[in-house]
Amino acid sequence: MRVSERRVCRVLGQHRSTQRRLPVGRADEDRLVADMIELTRRYGRYGYRRIAAMLRDAGWLVNDKRVERLWRREGLKVPMKQPKKGRLWLNDGSCVRLRPEYRDHVWSYDFVHHRTDDGRAFRTLNILDEHSRECLAIRVKRKLNSTEVIDALTDLFILRGVPAYIRSDNGPEFIAQAVRDWIAAVGARTAYIEPGSPWENGYCESFNAMLRDELLNGEVFYSLREAQILIEKWRKHYNTKRPHSALGYRPPAPETIIPMEPRTIMH
């Protein structure tokens, strides 16, 4: 049965021009796609929202919806939605978790284990400011004990001052009497999580997963020195460049450039 195009479009309420006109993209679309793919190639574990934030930082006037449309058209990876996380509550409705309220209010630290290419293990001690999400330090060594924990914190206390609380799990390096006495002596307080409750140290656990997903799982470290250099490079990128979703897709500690005043030359 033959039905005219005019009648079909009238029945469907669709304009006839849609049957003949092909959609034409914007004039800058090819350059935008090229920049988007380049960022995706460099940061393969980023989703379209974080890539869109980086494009805007580079000067593009583009929203998330347009980037998502191009992202899907190019067949790029769209990360799975993260499950919603519950909170730990008491029977009276009060929350157990100590929430950071300002910069240097609560620091948290934890270890991550990895190996170099020769099979030898090394550890990273990750220290995080929970309020700003800034990674304050990552110490990388074959072995890290309570003395190394005290040494790493001492360096940060000299540079930034003493936080109100330091959160950690109940590992032997953190609950050692020397560490507890030293933290109390400098005026900070410890906030140990409940045994078997890693979600109470959620900020640091999230950072550890990010470090492993974006760097450790994709790199082969041939020596400890190479691991130290690459991990420190990633830490600086995380602090100054990487858009953080919890901060409105801004980096935790963006670099700032203060222009120098022109100098007057006296003759």
Side-chain angles (χ1 to χ4, degrees):
M1 186 175 82
R2 298 178 60 84
V3 181
S4 68
E5 179 186 284
R6 186 186 301 272
R7 173 172 290 185
V8 171
C9 288
R10 185 166 56 245
V11 171
L12 297 179
Q14 183 173 318
H15 201 278
R16 291 176 62 195
S17 64
T18 60
Q19 305 303 310
R20 291 183 290 275
R21 289 184 182 176
L22 296 177
V24 178
R26 301 183 188 180
D28 62 350
E29 194 154 288
D30 290 341
R31 291 190 295 112
L32 175 59
V33 170
D35 287 357
M36 182 183 70
I37 292 176
E38 177 60 27
L39 287 173
T40 305
R41 185 180 294 113
R42 291 177 59 189
Y43 309 110
R45 296 299 300 165
Y46 288 5
Y48 74 88
R49 289 187 178 88
R50 189 162 282 116
I51 293 296
M54 299 186 77
L55 287 170
R56 287 191 288 271
D57 287 342
W60 283 98
L61 298 176
V62 62
N63 58 23
D64 289 355
K65 289 185 178 180
R66 186 182 178 194
V67 174
E68 181 185 17
R69 176 178 61 81
L70 298 175
W71 181 279
R72 292 181 182 275
R73 191 190 73 183
E74 297 298 321
L76 300 175
K77 176 185 67 67
V78 178
M80 295 178 61
K81 289 185 177 180
Q82 295 292 327
K84 292 185 178 180
K85 299 176 182 178
R87 296 291 181 262
L88 188 61
W89 300 92
L90 294 176
N91 291 333
D92 61 358
S94 60
C95 187
V96 175
R97 179 176 299 165
L98 170 66
R99 295 180 181 275
E101 298 177 359
Y102 50 86
R103 187 183 294 269
D104 296 328
H105 179 208
V106 183
W107 290 2
S108 58
Y109 55 175
D110 199 4
F111 290 111
V112 170
H113 299 258
H114 202 62
R115 293 182 181 274
T116 48
D117 187 56
D118 57 7
R120 297 178 62 193
F122 69 85
R123 306 175 83 189
T124 71
L125 173 61
N126 306 331
I127 307 176
L128 196 71
D129 184 312
E130 293 190 358
H131 184 267
S132 67
R133 306 300 204 279
E134 181 182 359
C135 178
L136 305 178
I138 301 180
R139 180 158 294 199
V140 183
K141 286 195 174 184
R142 295 291 182 188
K143 294 182 180 180
L144 289 167
N145 52 28
S146 58
T147 303
E148 294 288 348
V149 171
I150 294 175
D151 186 54
L153 289 176
T154 300
D155 292 343
L156 290 174
F157 289 173
I158 293 173
L159 293 174
R160 299 179 60 101
V162 179
Y165 292 89
I166 300 179
R167 194 197 313 266
S168 71
D169 60 24
N170 293 271
E173 302 88 355
F174 301 137
I175 63 173
Q177 193 63 43
V179 175
R180 302 175 69 160
D181 292 344
W182 180 81
I183 290 177
V186 298
R189 298 176 63 183
T190 55
Y192 294 112
I193 67 174
E194 289 295 321
S197 304
W199 56 84
E200 291 186 35
N201 198 13
Y203 294 97
C204 211
E205 292 290 342
S206 175
F207 176 83
N208 293 346
M210 199 182 308
L211 170 65
R212 187 172 295 281
D213 182 53
E214 295 181 5
L215 179 68
L216 300 183
N217 289 347
E219 290 285 349
V220 177
F221 303 111
Y222 292 101
S223 66
L224 180 65
R225 183 57 182 161
E226 182 182 19
Q228 291 171 338
I229 292 173
L230 292 179
I231 291 173
E232 178 62 17
K233 180 180 178 181
W234 182 88
R235 185 187 75 88
K236 291 180 178 178
H237 169 79
Y238 168 86
N239 283 337
T240 61
K241 301 291 185 183
R242 183 187 185 278
H244 202 299
S245 58
L247 303 175
Y249 288 97
R250 296 187 301 272
E255 291 180 330
T256 56
I257 300 175
I258 302 176
M260 297 182 63
E261 294 292 335
R263 297 174 61 184
T264 303
I265 300 176
M266 303 296 294
H267 294 285

